[in-house]
Amino acid sequence: MSYSTVIEGASFSPSSQTEISYQARQLICLDNNGYIARVIAHTDPDYATVKQTAQANDTLTTLQPNQYVLPGFIDLHIHAPQWPNAGLALDRPLNEWLDTYTFPLEAKYQDTDFAKLVYDGLIQELLANGTTTALYFGTIHNAANLELAKACIQYGQRGFIGKVAMDNPEQTPDYYQDASAQVAVDQTEQFIHQLNELNQTTDLKQTPVITPRFVPSCTPASLQGLGDLARKYDLPVQSHCSESDWENGYALEHYHMRDADVLDHYGLLTDKAVMAHGTLLNDHDYDLFSQKQVAIAHCPISNVYFGNAVLPVNRVLAHHIKTGLGTDISGGYSPSLYQNIRQAVMSSRMLQDGVDNQLLPDKRGVDGSAISVKTAFYLATLGGAESLHLQTGKIAEGYLADLQVVSMQNDFQTETTDNIFEKLMYQTSKADINQVYVQGTRVK
């Protein structure tokens, strides 16, 4: 059998939440539908035959000794229109940051030329950083959201895209809001149809996502209408949940319920829902998320600035809650999930050790909080894939061929498998990502 692409080389892939698998030499065989058809170990009897056939067909890519294949990364939470603001005003409180910097920028996307300029650059930047799938917040403007989808199609990224709904006049500026709950719901439904129509022109499908910005930005009527749409079209849902003391407190003050309970009341917590941050979730919320099979998008860099706490990843996983990793541009300053892998580990260590040196060691931290870089890698790959119900995130037969090939530059001595993996996780930059494949097509 011949394959569309055969990659010969070493690979790392998640095998569980805490372990990785390593293959020193193998053939990763991609079929014409963008899936991994076979993974052939060097010891398999037909290794040489398959390799020779691929060479003859000019479909073989042989990696260098310092190159490794990894699954493509999945960004579970990113605000596409905020890319121009990445790294700006991160020292401001969340509500002030939104009102002064974020909403004025997002309002500019009524200009589709501006939207195309930003989104073309963003998608290429994310792919260059190894991100093959992203779950996007757009803006309230459907024309701009379609430009985001077109950029994903043009450059070859799998996008999950939401028309942001925000109709609460008390928490949104008059120059940037849905005119009413009905408008928010109708425009969301219109975007669903527009994106489905656009998908008729491409094999790389983009997915519409029901997107209430967060509880403070929406009225009860829009939350209810969006919940009805999620059920009607069986679509993913995304929002923010218990991201900060302010957001958490808003739900308690205005609804006399926790943030998660408000979203659940309106039918927005489903097995296709991804809730960002969750730094202030409690055991009641964890149980609700587990019961409803809701996923959490962990955004460790952003949470340093706006989360008011550290997400206890081990505790979340122990509740059997699907969990992935997000950049949260521009609350997070970096488009790199490698940077967020590192921060996820660092934040977990700070949670474990504590940060107040006036407390005794046994009172300072939260025992059992530290995660390994292998767990953070799982979040960026298989954890994100499971959150989006995607058959990707690992290198195995039957999985979508979303892959990245990275080089390890600091290769001065014989290394153990774990040492190589850790160096890749901690040292890889955009310049070290040599190839990127999405659904079997090379896009970088």
Side-chain angles (χ1 to χ4, degrees):
M1 179 179 179
S2 61
Y3 303 99
S4 62
T5 303
V6 177
I7 304 172
E8 180 184 36
S11 71
F12 288 98
S13 183
S15 55
S16 73
Q17 294 176 351
T18 57
E19 298 296 331
I20 57 168
S21 61
Y22 170 70
Q23 297 294 330
R25 188 178 173 193
Q26 62 186 352
L27 298 176
I28 303 171
C29 306
L30 315 186
D31 67 21
N32 290 317
N33 296 316
Y35 284 82
I36 300 172
R38 286 190 66 191
V39 179
I40 304 175
H42 183 244
T43 54
D44 287 353
D46 61 345
Y47 185 96
T49 302
V50 173
K51 178 179 176 179
Q52 288 171 359
T53 301
Q55 284 176 316
N57 293 337
D58 197 25
T59 56
L60 178 69
T61 297
T62 299
L63 305 186
Q64 299 299 312
N66 70 328
Q67 290 182 311
Y68 301 87
V69 186
L70 309 176
F73 286 161
I74 297 169
D75 191 334
L76 263 196
H77 183 63
I78 175 170
H79 293 265
Q82 294 178 23
W83 174 228
N85 273 2
L88 181 65
L90 297 178
D91 58 339
R92 303 300 179 92
L94 177 60
N95 53 335
E96 180 182 334
W97 176 82
L98 287 170
D99 292 336
T100 306
Y101 297 92
T102 303
F103 292 153
L105 172 61
E106 292 192 15
K108 293 181 179 180
Y109 287 79
Q110 61 186 326
D111 179 351
T112 54
D113 289 337
F114 179 70
K116 177 175 172 52
L117 177 68
V118 173
Y119 293 152
D120 282 356
L122 173 62
I123 303 307
Q124 293 178 83
E125 179 70 19
L126 291 170
L127 287 168
N129 278 281
T131 299
T132 51
T133 298
L135 176 57
Y136 290 110
F137 273 59
T139 62
I140 66 172
H141 317 100
N142 279 350
N145 297 329
L146 287 171
E147 290 299 328
L148 175 57
K150 290 174 184 177
C152 288
I153 292 169
Q154 179 178 351
Y155 298 106
Q157 187 187 62
R158 185 182 299 102
F160 287 69
I161 301 167
K163 177 264 183 247
V164 171
M166 41 189 291
D167 68 311
N168 183 359
E170 295 179 2
Q171 292 294 331
T172 56
D174 55 8
Y175 63 84
Y176 183 58
Q177 63 181 220
D178 290 306
S180 67
Q182 194 62 52
V183 167
V185 174
D186 288 347
Q187 289 291 301
T188 297
E189 189 164 24
Q190 180 191 66
F191 179 65
I192 293 168
H193 296 309
Q194 290 173 326
L195 192 51
N196 287 338
E197 183 176 345
L198 184 63
N199 278 333
Q200 303 306 311
T201 66
T202 179
D203 292 330
L204 186 63
K205 307 302 183 187
Q206 310 299 307
T207 303
V209 183
I210 306 301
T211 308
R213 188 176 200 109
F214 59 170
V215 167
S217 292
C218 297
T219 62
S222 65
L223 292 173
Q224 183 63 63
L226 294 170
D228 292 342
L229 286 183
R231 183 171 56 256
K232 177 180 178 180
Y233 291 101
D234 190 27
L235 286 174
V237 177
Q238 63 178 341
S239 190
H240 305 78
C241 188
S242 293
E243 174 184 2
S244 64
D245 290 323
W246 170 72
E247 181 191 328
N248 204 49
Y250 182 94
L252 291 171
E253 179 181 351
H254 289 81
Y255 290 88
H256 308 293
M257 290 189 286
R258 292 191 56 78
D259 212 8
D261 290 321
V262 176
L263 293 165
D264 185 46
H265 176 76
Y266 293 109
L268 293 162
L269 293 190
T270 72
D271 68 338
K272 291 186 176 181
V274 178
M275 294 293 136
H277 307 298
T279 52
L280 276 298
L281 296 172
N282 62 16
D283 283 338
H284 163 78
D285 302 324
Y286 294 148
D287 289 341
L288 178 60
F289 274 34
S290 180
Q291 175 193 347
K292 298 288 185 175
Q293 301 180 58
V294 175
I296 293 177
H298 178 32
C299 307
I301 291 179
S302 173
N303 291 161
V304 170
Y305 299 103
F306 299 121
N308 298 134
V310 174
L311 182 76
V313 172
N314 281 337
R315 193 171 184 181
V316 170
L317 294 176
H319 279 79
H320 306 290
I321 297 171
K322 295 175 292 188
T323 310
L325 212 56
T327 58
D328 192 29
I329 287 173
S330 67
Y333 58 81
S334 173
S336 169
L337 279 175
Y338 284 98
Q339 292 277 49
N340 281 275
I341 283 172
R342 296 158 198 160
Q343 187 61 54
V345 176
M346 289 188 286
S347 293
S348 75
R349 293 299 300 265
M350 295 178 76
L351 181 60
Q352 169 139 335
D353 295 340
V355 296
D356 186 350
N357 67 0
Q358 300 303 301
L359 297 176
L360 294 173
D362 62 342
K363 302 292 185 183
R364 195 181 302 145
V366 181
D367 193 41
S369 295
I371 66 171
S372 71
V373 74
K374 293 177 181 178
T375 294
F377 175 64
Y378 161 84
L379 297 180
T381 54
L382 195 55
E386 292 173 345
S387 299
L388 293 176
H389 297 261
L390 287 174
Q391 186 76 357
T392 190
K394 67 186 294 188
I395 299 172
E397 294 179 9
Y399 279 70
L400 282 163
D402 300 340
L403 307 168
Q404 54 180 315
V405 176
V406 301
S407 296
M408 188 174 75
Q409 303 301 332
N410 184 5
D411 190 18
F412 301 114
Q413 57 187 348
T414 303
E415 300 280 9
T416 66
T417 298
D418 278 357
N419 287 353
I420 293 170
F421 176 74
E422 289 181 4
K423 281 188 174 182
L424 289 174
M425 291 300 103
Y426 283 110
Q427 296 180 358
T428 294
S429 68
K430 182 171 68 170
D432 302 314
I433 301 172
N434 310 126
Q435 302 173 28
V436 177
Y437 296 81
V438 179
Q439 206 162 301
T441 298
R442 184 172 174 181
V443 296
K444 177 183 187 294

